[in-house]
Amino acid sequence: MLTLFPEIQPSVSSRLPVSDGHDLYYEQSGNARGIPVLFVHGGPGGGTSEFNRRFFDPEKYRIILFDQRGCGKSRPHASIENNTTAHLIEDIEQLRKHLGIDQWLLFGGSWGTTLSLLYAQKYPDKVLGMILRGIFLCREQDIHWFYQHGASQIFPDFWKGFLEPIPLEEQHDLLNAYHRILTSDNEIARMSAAKSWSTWEAKCSTLEPSTGLVGHFSAPHVALALARLEAHYFVNKAFIEDNQIINNAATIQHIPTTIIHGRYDMVCPVRQALELHEVLPEAAFHIVRDAGHSAMEPGITDNLIKATNQFALRLA
Ligand code: STX
C-alpha cells in the first residue's frame, strides 16, 4: 500500500486577481521543471490543505494547488457573488496562462472531478490527463441523495445533526432551507447552519470515523465557505445542464483518464463512476473495495499515488 509522500513546503505561494474582484490563492511545490499537475479540490468551497501536495512525487511533478474563488485563502471569503461554474473554469484557464503552462494533468476529487471534467470538456487540448477520485456528476439525483434522501438512511444518527437547524415545516426541501439560512443576515444562524452542514459531509466521508477530517471541515472559516458555496451551487444545479458531463463525454474520449472510487462512498455513490466509465470506456477504472469518499481512505490514497506514479512514467 502506497502512502503519502513526505511533507514539502511550497517554493512559491502567491495570489492571482481574477474577474469581479475575486482574488485566488495558489502555490507551487515540487520540481519547477516537472510535469505540471493541478490539484482541483472539492466542495465547491472545500479549499486546499497542505497534505494535498503529497500525492505527487516532488522530483517528477510541478505541483500546483489553488483555492477556488470564495474559499480557502482566496478572497473575498465565502463570497457567492459572481461565483459560478463558468467563473471557476475561466479561473483555471487564467491560472494556466499566468503560469505559462501549455498542458497540465488534472487531479480532482469529488466536486474536483466535476470541475476537472467540465474544464476538460471546454479546453480539451490543455489537458494531458486526468486522475479523478470520487466521481460527482452533480445532477439533481446526485444532490438529492446526499441532502434530502439517501445517505440519510445509512447515517440516520448523523442525519439528526443535519436536520437540527431546519424548522420542521421546511424539512421537505432541506437544500433550499439551508440556502435561506446560509444567505440570511443572521450571523449566528449562518454559522450554526454552516457547522451542521459541513459536519454532516465530513462525517459521511470516511468508512471509519475521522476526528481530524471532521475537525478541519467544521472549523468556522472552512465550514462557512463550504456550506455557503455548496448550497449556492446546488440550488443552482451547479449552473450546468442535467447530465451535461455524460452528454459531452465525446469531447474528452482521447484524454488519458484514471477513475478511482470507493465502493462505500456515501457522499457520491459509486454508480456515478460506473456511468462515467460507460461513456469513457478507455479510462482505467478502480473501485476500491474497502473505502468511502475521502482521498485519505488508505485504499484510495494507494490507488491515487499509483496513478500519479504511472502518469509520471507515461508523460516523462
Ligand atoms: N460535495 C462533494 C464534495 O466535493 C457534495 C465533497 N465531499 N466532501 C468533501 O467535498 C470534503 C472534502 C469537503 C469533505
Side-chain angles (χ1 to χ4, degrees):
M1 286 273 269
L2 300 178
T3 53
L4 296 179
F5 287 96
E7 286 184 27
I8 45 168
Q9 294 307 312
S11 48
V12 185
S13 65
S14 191
R15 313 194 65 87
L16 179 69
V18 289
S19 60
D20 317 299
H22 281 275
D23 183 69
L24 305 185
Y25 167 82
Y26 75 90
E27 57 161 68
Q28 302 189 68
S29 54
N31 180 349
R33 284 187 296 278
I35 303 157
V37 60
L38 183 70
F39 186 97
V40 187
H41 70 67
T48 58
S49 300
E50 292 181 10
F51 80 86
N52 299 156
R53 301 169 194 142
R54 300 172 59 197
F55 292 98
F56 314 97
D57 183 338
E59 295 190 1
K60 303 211 171 97
Y61 279 103
R62 174 179 176 187
I63 305 157
I64 300 147
L65 270 52
F66 82 108
D67 290 328
Q68 294 160 29
R69 55 171 70 190
C71 69
K73 296 199 264 276
S74 293
R75 297 283 175 269
H77 181 250
S79 170
I80 54 176
E81 302 265 312
N82 299 300
N83 198 335
T84 70
T85 306
H87 288 107
L88 300 183
I89 292 169
E90 294 318 309
D91 289 350
I92 293 175
E93 190 51 7
Q94 191 176 328
L95 182 60
R96 184 190 64 76
K97 289 182 184 155
H98 176 74
L99 296 172
I101 291 167
D102 293 331
Q103 289 187 304
W104 48 7
L105 180 66
L106 305 178
F107 180 102
S110 201
W111 165 257
T113 71
T114 321
L115 184 56
S116 294
L117 287 158
L118 292 166
Y119 172 81
Q121 290 178 340
K122 175 121 197 245
Y123 296 107
D125 55 328
K126 308 303 180 204
V127 181
L128 287 168
M130 292 186 280
I131 298 173
L132 304 174
R133 181 274 312 169
I135 302 301
F136 183 35
L137 299 175
C138 224
R139 300 162 301 187
E140 202 149 6
Q141 69 258 41
D142 308 323
I143 296 166
H144 190 267
W145 162 270
F146 195 62
Y147 299 108
Q148 190 65 44
H149 185 85
S152 56
Q153 305 302 294
I154 315 292
F155 294 114
D157 43 352
F158 303 155
W159 184 248
K160 280 192 184 177
F162 185 68
L163 294 180
E164 221 254 324
I166 308 301
L168 210 53
E169 63 275 16
E170 287 183 72
Q171 290 187 4
H172 65 282
D173 184 0
L174 291 160
L175 182 53
N176 276 294
Y178 261 103
H179 183 265
R180 177 184 66 71
I181 299 171
L182 288 164
T183 55
S184 77
D185 296 334
N186 183 337
E187 197 176 336
I188 306 290
R190 253 182 4 234
M191 188 52 84
S192 154
K195 195 167 166 139
S196 295
W197 176 283
S198 303
T199 300
W200 163 244
E201 189 148 337
K203 281 187 166 177
C204 294
S205 291
T206 54
L207 213 49
E208 311 248 19
S210 166
T211 46
L213 191 98
V214 175
H216 174 77
F217 285 103
S218 62
H221 185 90
V222 179
L224 193 67
L226 183 68
R228 275 172 54 86
L229 269 66
E230 286 193 333
H232 167 68
Y233 272 75
F234 300 155
V235 296
N236 289 293
K237 299 177 182 150
F239 306 93
I240 56 176
E241 292 159 29
D242 198 34
N243 252 328
Q244 183 169 327
I245 291 172
I246 296 290
N247 292 343
N248 294 307
T251 56
I252 53 170
Q253 285 295 341
H254 61 288
I255 299 175
T257 298
T258 297
I259 298 167
I260 297 162
H261 208 112
R263 168 80 63 195
Y264 301 104
D265 188 330
M266 291 299 131
V267 182
C268 302
V270 67
R271 189 194 156 94
Q272 293 169 82
L274 197 91
E275 289 179 56
L276 181 65
H277 187 239
E278 281 167 1
V279 293
L280 295 178
E282 303 287 309
F285 180 30
H286 305 284
I287 297 180
V288 182
R289 69 179 188 195
D290 54 356
H293 182 63
S294 166
M296 291 306 285
E297 299 281 73
I300 302 240
T301 303
D302 173 60
N303 272 274
L304 286 170
I305 296 175
K306 277 200 182 98
T308 61
N309 287 343
Q310 277 165 7
F311 269 98
L313 290 173
R314 171 182 201 154
L315 299 171

